[in-house]
Each structure stands twice: as C-alpha cells, then as structure tokens.
Amino acid sequence: MSQPIIRVLVVDDEPAIRRALSLSLLELGFLVAEASRGEDALKLLRAGPFDAVLLDMRMPGIGGIETLRRIRSFAPRLPILMLTVCDQEVEKVKAFDLGADDYIVKPFSIPELIARIRATVRRVGVNAENEPIENETIEIGIIRMEPAKRSVTKRGHPVHLTPKEFDILHYLMSRVGQVVTHQKLLTAVWGENRAEEIEYLRTYVRQLRMKIEDDRSNPRYLLTEAHIGYRFADASELSSNMMSPRSRR
C-alpha cells in the first residue's frame, strides 16, 4: 500500500538549503512549497493546507522562534520540525516550550530528515483520530482541563501552561490512575528520538507541580512511581486523608 502524499513547507532564508531540501523531498514524492522568511510562511500556511513544516531557527525578519509561536496560535497540531546550526540546550527548550515537534541540527542526512517527518506526521495523525474522546472535558478534584480550548483551571482560576506542559498533563489526566512510564510519556509528547531523556521530563514535571499543586513537595495530583514514571491521581485517592508523601522528581 502506497504512503499518502505529504505536503511540506520549507522555511529557510538560504536559497541553497531550500533548493536542496525541496529537490530531495520532491524526488521522494512529497509536495513542497518554499518560504524565505517567517512572514511569508505564515501567509502560505493560512492560504492552504500543509502536513508538516521545516522551519529554520535563525532567519531575518520575525525569525524562527516567533514564527513558531504565531503558527501555534492558529495551527496547534501542525507538525513543525526546527532546523538550526546550533545545538544549544536553551534553544531546544525554548522551541519545545513553544510547541516544536522535533529539532534537527545542520548538517543532517536526508534519510534521517525524511524518517523524522514521516514519524511526526504519523504521530500527529494518530492523535487526531482520537479527537472526539481526547477533546472531552476532564475534571479531577480542583483541576479542570478543556482540551478543545487547551485550557486548564485550578479552583476555577486559569493555569498558564506551555504547550509541552499542557501535552504532558493532558496525557496523564486522560489516563487517570494509570501508571505511564517515562519512555511512553516522552515518546507521546516528543517522539521516539527523545524517549531516553528522563531528566528532561523531570524538569517539566517539576514545573507542572509548581503550577497545579498546593504543595509541590507533597504532590496530591501528579504522582511519581519511583524508577517507572508518573500517574495522575484518581478521585478515590484524592478523597482519602491517608496519602503518603510523594517524591518531588
């Protein structure tokens, strides 16, 4: 069975890179459009459907990070892979916080890039198939999540989460009471290439606890299963007064 045609927007200010990427993608059966600046990319994305975006981090004009932020404001599920010559952790975290799906450092091999594009599009597509269930409002204790609006409240007050924080919390709340391993959570939110970065995940969990827990050192909602992963407490646990302290990690 043939694979579906994937429509890719290549956004890079260097003509040689755009040309090389476009030719390689076209030869492999992709449909390709190009933009040299973030402003042009936004116009193209609003004018027609795309399945993935290859977005250069550093460009003139509004730049890659601001372009990413604006795309996410109207296309929260569109797969976006960031391209950059810099492999700094700060840049990676910033891109992921704003909703990037993957991060590829130049120079990279075309087979690796193609594999990542297909994997990201497939993962987002699988999630989209579950939208009717995934979009149901979830209310557990004092925490209420409305996935369709990507909003979270605590005791009725808005909780401001980054895109990745929201994705982590949504994945756990939609599986309330179930233990989710580090690898499964990392794969679900970032993809298979991030499945071993447990410390990275722990940083996000600590940030989440600061926002949703009354006492982050003794969490009642986002619970740690030592050496395994995390789970979101169910109603029966929350109503009990016999909960033992949980790890901060």
Side-chain angles (χ1 to χ4, degrees):
M1 183 176 178
S2 61
Q3 293 183 331
I5 295 175
I6 297 175
R7 298 157 295 188
V8 180
L9 175 60
V10 177
V11 189
D12 198 300
D13 63 305
E14 296 186 38
I17 292 178
R18 291 200 311 275
R19 183 165 54 252
L21 286 173
S22 295
L23 288 174
S24 297
L25 290 168
L26 287 168
E27 287 177 1
L28 291 169
F30 289 73
L31 293 179
V32 184
E34 299 180 18
S36 60
R37 297 166 65 94
E39 294 89 337
D40 297 331
L42 293 170
K43 291 178 183 177
L44 287 171
L45 288 169
R46 287 192 171 100
F50 287 91
D51 300 303
V53 178
L54 300 180
L55 178 60
D56 185 40
M57 180 75 79
R58 298 182 178 181
M59 299 181 294
I62 62 175
I65 288 292
E66 177 61 17
T67 301
L68 170 63
R69 187 189 68 77
R70 295 190 189 185
I71 292 173
R72 279 291 174 250
S73 69
F74 64 87
R77 289 185 178 277
L78 178 65
I80 301 176
L81 295 85
M82 304 301 292
L83 306 177
T84 183
V85 295
C86 183
D87 192 22
Q88 292 184 355
E89 192 69 20
V90 173
E91 273 201 341
K92 287 183 180 180
V93 172
K94 190 171 185 180
F96 285 134
D97 275 346
L98 288 172
D101 292 286
D102 207 346
Y103 188 104
I104 304 174
V105 179
K106 302 174 185 176
F108 46 81
S109 70
I110 292 298
E112 177 191 8
L113 177 63
I114 299 303
R116 291 196 181 192
I117 292 173
R118 292 193 188 280
T120 304
V121 171
R122 182 169 58 250
R123 185 171 66 251
V124 172
V126 168
N127 290 340
E129 290 177 2
N130 296 325
E131 274 190 358
I133 296 175
E134 295 288 323
N135 279 340
E136 289 183 359
T137 297
I138 307 170
E139 189 162 6
I140 304 170
I142 61 174
I143 309 299
R144 178 183 174 89
M145 171 180 282
E146 296 183 70
K149 298 179 180 178
R150 290 186 71 84
S151 69
V152 175
T153 58
K154 175 183 176 182
R155 295 191 180 93
H157 299 289
V159 178
H160 300 289
L161 303 180
T162 67
K164 292 304 180 186
E165 288 172 351
F166 181 91
D167 291 342
I168 292 169
L169 188 61
H170 183 211
Y171 196 85
L172 292 170
M173 288 186 71
S174 63
R175 293 159 179 79
V176 61
Q178 298 179 21
V179 176
V180 179
T181 65
H182 298 122
Q183 288 75 17
K184 188 171 184 178
L185 188 52
L186 282 160
T187 299
V189 176
W190 282 279
E192 293 181 1
N193 56 312
R194 308 289 176 187
E196 301 303 320
E197 298 187 17
I198 296 175
E199 286 301 326
Y200 190 66
L201 175 60
R202 285 172 174 158
T203 298
Y204 275 88
V205 170
R206 284 194 289 269
Q207 292 172 181
L208 265 173
R209 283 178 172 155
M210 290 177 64
K211 296 178 179 182
I212 69 169
E213 299 283 359
D214 288 335
D215 180 2
R216 62 173 177 166
S217 64
N218 184 24
R220 298 185 64 233
Y221 291 88
L222 213 172
L223 308 179
T224 297
E225 293 295 328
H227 311 299
I228 300 174
Y230 300 99
R231 65 187 173 87
F232 203 88
D234 61 27
S236 63
E237 288 180 288
L238 294 172
S239 63
S240 171
N241 293 321
M242 300 178 63
M243 292 188 63
S244 59
R246 296 280 174 170
S247 167
R248 294 185 186 188
R249 298 190 74 186

